[in-house]
Amino acid sequence: MTDELLWKELEESCAACRGCPLWQTRTNLVFGTGSRTAELMFVGEAPGEREDQTGIPFVGPAGQLLDLYLEAVGIPRESVYIANILKCRPPHNRDPQPEESEACMKHLRGQVKLIRPKMIVCLGRIAAMRLIKPDYRITKEHGTFVRRGAFLMTAVYHPSALLRDPSKREDMYRDMKAIRRALDEEKQQGEDYPA
Ligand code: URA
């Protein structure tokens, strides 16, 4: 099957998913957006109000701030893939419940399998606890890299946390620059040692 068909199948099965009750209260499915051949993938927590209205992740205030950091480190938004742990908005933006994340992970795994990024960046504590380790401490561990199989993983503050607490913005800028550097190094190594 071609990648295009596999993507179609994945998106259709996500749209039809009844693995948790959130499909009942969403306006739109927020599947994911960006380059399907991205080397860099960002994973947030769950769609907010604007995302639920538009069906696109990170388009509200937090997304606009993320765009500024991407631009500041010279990473075009269209070159990355952006998704969330949950594909449906939890009512009133409450934290995802463990059963909801568990039920939704198969869609994210499908996306990662098709994209095969070099690096996955968790946006915030909830994504880092789900994808890196359950006891992830975002204040202590943000910006550190771990290698998991074929890809590098890291986490940064969630852009919403930066909106609430601007004193974290300096750390975010430093982390985003380190992400850019690490990605460039990964690419360089790929060129040095062809498979
Ligand atoms: N916050 C998230 O975690 N994801 C979005 O898509 C928007 C806000």
Side-chain angles (χ1 to χ4, degrees):
M1 222 194 269
T2 63
D3 269 14
E4 201 174 325
L5 279 176
L6 289 168
W7 273 107
K8 188 166 177 282
E9 197 176 82
L10 186 63
E11 189 157 359
E12 281 173 1
S13 84
C14 191
C17 178
R18 301 291 181 259
C20 83
L22 292 180
W23 65 274
Q24 295 171 352
T25 47
R26 75 175 182 220
T27 311
N28 285 295
L29 172 75
V30 183
F31 179 67
T33 189
S35 165
R36 291 174 170 181
T37 56
E39 291 173 323
L40 180 57
M41 181 168 180
F42 287 89
V43 181
E45 179 181 323
E49 188 180 12
R50 285 282 296 142
E51 291 75 23
D52 179 61
Q53 284 163 356
T54 57
I56 305 167
F58 284 96
V59 287
Q64 287 160 21
L65 188 54
L66 175 64
D67 288 350
L68 288 181
Y69 282 99
L70 288 171
E71 200 182 322
V73 299
I75 300 175
R77 179 166 163 135
E78 327 72 74
S79 73
V80 305
Y81 194 85
I82 306 178
N84 282 303
I85 302 278
L86 293 193
K87 309 303 194 218
C88 298
R89 182 191 184 203
H92 313 294
N93 295 350
R94 63 156 171 72
D95 283 355
Q97 288 172 359
E99 320 80 79
E100 294 161 354
S101 302
E102 193 50 47
C104 218
M105 274 301 289
K106 63 173 185 284
H107 308 302
L108 183 64
R109 282 194 201 100
Q111 289 170 312
V112 171
K113 205 168 149 194
L114 282 173
I115 296 168
R116 289 184 282 118
K118 290 192 191 305
M119 193 189 299
I120 298 180
V121 177
C122 302
L123 292 167
R125 180 181 64 92
I126 302 269
M129 287 171 67
R130 184 75 225 179
L131 300 185
I132 301 179
K133 58 175 181 172
D135 59 347
Y136 197 89
R137 303 273 305 275
I138 193 79
T139 40
K140 271 178 68 179
E141 297 178 85
H142 68 89
T144 57
F145 292 88
V146 286
R147 193 168 286 282
R148 289 283 167 80
F151 35 75
L152 270 184
M153 296 195 73
T154 188
V156 296
Y157 285 120
H158 193 287
S160 303
L162 308 174
L163 290 172
R164 286 192 300 270
D165 178 3
S167 74
K168 293 188 164 78
R169 292 186 184 193
E170 213 171 298
D171 279 352
M172 177 68 164
Y173 185 43
R174 195 175 309 123
D175 291 348
M176 289 294 291
K177 283 190 286 190
I179 286 167
R180 173 67 208 258
R181 267 196 312 275
L183 188 65
D184 288 346
E185 279 167 22
E186 284 293 292
K187 286 195 221 173
Q188 182 66 45
Q189 278 175 19
E191 282 160 23
D192 288 350
Y193 305 107

